[in-house]
Structures are given as structure tokens and as C-alpha cells.
Amino acid sequence: MTAIHVSEVGPRDGLQSIERVMPLEAKKRWIAAEAAAGVSEIEVGSFVPPTLLPQMADTADLVAFAKTLDGLRVVALVPNAKGAQRAADAGVHAFSLPFSMSETHSKKNLRKDHAQMLEEIAACAEIARNHGIHFEVGLATAFGCTIEGAVPEDQVVRLAEAAIGAGAMEVGLSDTTGYADPAQVRRLVRRVKAAVGDDKLDTLHLHNTRGLGLANVVAGLEEGIITFDASLGGLGGCPFAPGASGNIVTEDLVLMLNSMGHDTGIDLEKLLEVRGILEEALPGEPLYGFTPDAGPMLDYNERTAA
């Protein structure tokens, strides 16, 4: 069996994309239940100004709570060095910063051009080193942008190298707008790995906007990717990318990986029960996924034992 890591990003990427604010206690129940199901890494929130994203105002409280859960790697997103310092002060195990490969998207999302973002990466890297925190840069809109359209692969490779040069410990490829296809995933993973090293790219953040999410996961697996972001119930997307919504559904991803014989360490039956927490706390909020409705295959246990 190959060990594959599923990183739950729903408490951040999912909740930042809906108008309602999920109560803190419900978020804690969600995080605790997923950890109990075997999810070993959760992005619990982001350190952005509460005036911009009130949904994330309780992130420091969630970090403190999540750190009490045995074996859970607690991750947060940061938009800049100020957010990185807040994350470090809260005690996260790791933080990530989104670096849009589309400069137009970067200016709209974080109000900084590429040169300014590289300065922020360098400042975040210093904070991470000083606090012993793992620091990843997510290469957002790496597969295309709903504002600019196609993003040149040469540009993604160049900026990936620049991010590592500025101090990022690793980079991840993010399909922020749901533009990726399997051939593109294979090609870009190969190119970025060749530029920065195999050990500095092992994560894909894929969206299912156009129904290609799981196909793109398989392409990533074939290229040696071992960490995939996903959101329970498919919550989330990017509020700054028009038309982009729908992260990969954690339940569907786990079913597929476990059925393929990979070792996620996640108990699917327990994971499916977590969905009820979202339904109770966010009544009427659309949740996605095929596995919650259809259930696992009759021979699922035999497949996972193979």
C-alpha cells in the first residue's frame, strides 16, 4: 500500500466561501470528528482580517483547540507576513501562503503583484524559520485563470523557482479555478518537480468545478504526488475567481483512494458521519458528493484489504 495524505481544507476554504458564519463549537465538533476518523491534517482557518472574512475570525481559537487532538497536524492559511506572525503566535504546525501565478488574480486576491508577493514570501519564510514552522507556498491559478485565461507553464515554473529561492520550504500546485485536465496536471507536475526538486512538490489542491477533480487526482498519483487537499461535502472555492466553486469532495476522494489500495488512514464510515455536523450547523447549505448518497461498494472492505 502507498501512504497518501488527505488534507481537509473545508474549515478554511469551504467556510470562507459561504455567507453564514459557522459557530465555533460546531467547527470544533467538525475538526474533532474528522481527526477521530483518521484525518491527520486539517487546515483549520486563515489569519486574515476579520473585517474581510468574518468566517475566519475564530481561527486562533480553533488552532488552540485542534492542537489538543492527538496526531493532528494543524495548518492555517496566511495572506502575508502579518498573518504569518499571527499564525506563529497561535502555534500552528504549518502555514501556507497563496501565490497566484496570474498577476491579475494576485492583485485582486491579495492586492500585490508578483514582485511584492515574493517579498512577502521571504518575510514569511523568516518567521517560519524562527518558529520552527513548516512553510508552503500554494501556486494558485497554476492551471488557468478566469480573469486572464491560460497561464503560461513557463511562468508557473519560473515563479515556483522564485518562491523556493525566497525561502519557501515547498510549493503546491493549486487548480483555483477548476481549469486543470489530467494531461496538464501530469505535464506541469513534471516540469515543476524538475525545476525545484521532487522533494519540494508533493501537494495538489484541485477543484471539481468542471467534474475533473478525481481524474486529476489520478494523474497526480501517477506523477508521485502524495498529498491532496479536499473539503468535506465539497464546500468551497475561491471567492475572488468568478465561477469557481467546489473543492474535491473529501468523502469521494477517500473512497477512491482506499478502493485503489492506497493507505489514507481514514475510516470512510466514520468520515461519512461527520457530514451530519455540517448539515446541523449549516441547514440548507448545498453539500456535494456521490459517496454519501450511494454508499461504498459491496466489496469495499475486500478492496481496501488488498
Side-chain angles (χ1 to χ4, degrees), residues 110-156:
L110 294 179
R111 301 175 186 174
K112 289 181 173 63
D113 61 22
H114 285 160
Q116 292 171 313
M117 285 303 301
L118 287 169
E119 292 176 0
E120 290 291 342
I121 290 170
C124 290
E126 183 176 2
I127 292 168
R129 284 193 298 270
N130 291 340
H131 291 81
I133 295 171
H134 187 81
F135 172 40
E136 176 183 328
V137 168
L139 305 177
T141 66
F143 299 95
C145 173
T146 50
I147 305 170
E148 289 188 8
V151 175
E153 290 183 5
D154 287 347
Q155 178 168 303
V156 177

Side-chain angles (χ1 to χ4, degrees), residues 31-32 34-35 39-42 44 66-67 69-74 93:
I31 292 167
E34 280 215 32
V39 176
S40 60
E41 179 176 297
I42 299 178
V44 300
K67 287 183 67 180
L69 303 173
D70 290 340
L72 181 64
R73 189 169 189 246
V74 182
H93 297 133

Side-chain angles (χ1 to χ4, degrees), residues 45-218:
S46 61
F47 286 92
V48 298
T51 52
L52 294 179
L53 282 176
Q55 302 95 321
M56 300 290 106
D58 53 9
T59 297
D61 292 330
L62 284 171
V63 170
F65 168 75
K67 287 183 67 180
T68 68
L69 303 173
D70 290 340
L72 181 64
R73 189 169 189 246
V74 182
V75 182
L77 180 138
V78 302
N80 49 37
K82 185 176 181 179
Q85 187 60 58
R86 289 177 59 204
D89 292 341
V92 298
H93 297 133
F95 59 68
S96 65
L97 182 145
F99 181 22
S100 294
M101 302 294 90
S102 157
E103 196 157 38
T104 305
H105 184 269
S106 182
K107 291 175 180 178
K108 189 173 182 65
N109 190 23
L110 294 179
R111 301 175 186 174
K112 289 181 173 63
D113 61 22
H114 285 160
Q116 292 171 313
M117 285 303 301
L118 287 169
E119 292 176 0
E120 290 291 342
I121 290 170
C124 290
E126 183 176 2
I127 292 168
R129 284 193 298 270
N130 291 340
H131 291 81
I133 295 171
H134 187 81
F135 172 40
E136 176 183 328
V137 168
L139 305 177
T141 66
F143 299 95
C145 173
T146 50
I147 305 170
E148 289 188 8
V151 175
E153 290 183 5
D154 287 347
Q155 178 168 303
V156 177
V157 173
R158 174 175 59 81
L159 292 173
E161 290 179 301
I164 295 296
M169 296 176 182
E170 66 175 294
V171 294
L173 292 172
S174 297
D175 185 21
T176 314
T177 56
Y179 271 33
D181 64 65
Q184 188 184 20
V185 169
R186 293 188 188 95
R187 191 169 60 246
L188 196 53
V189 168
R190 288 175 188 172
R191 292 198 60 186
V192 173
K193 279 191 171 189
V196 304
D198 284 356
D199 61 331
K200 291 183 173 58
L201 170 61
D202 67 17
T203 300
L204 287 181
H205 179 101
L206 299 167
H207 284 200
N208 198 42
T209 312
R210 292 168 178 82
L212 296 175
L214 293 184
N216 290 332
V217 168
V218 173

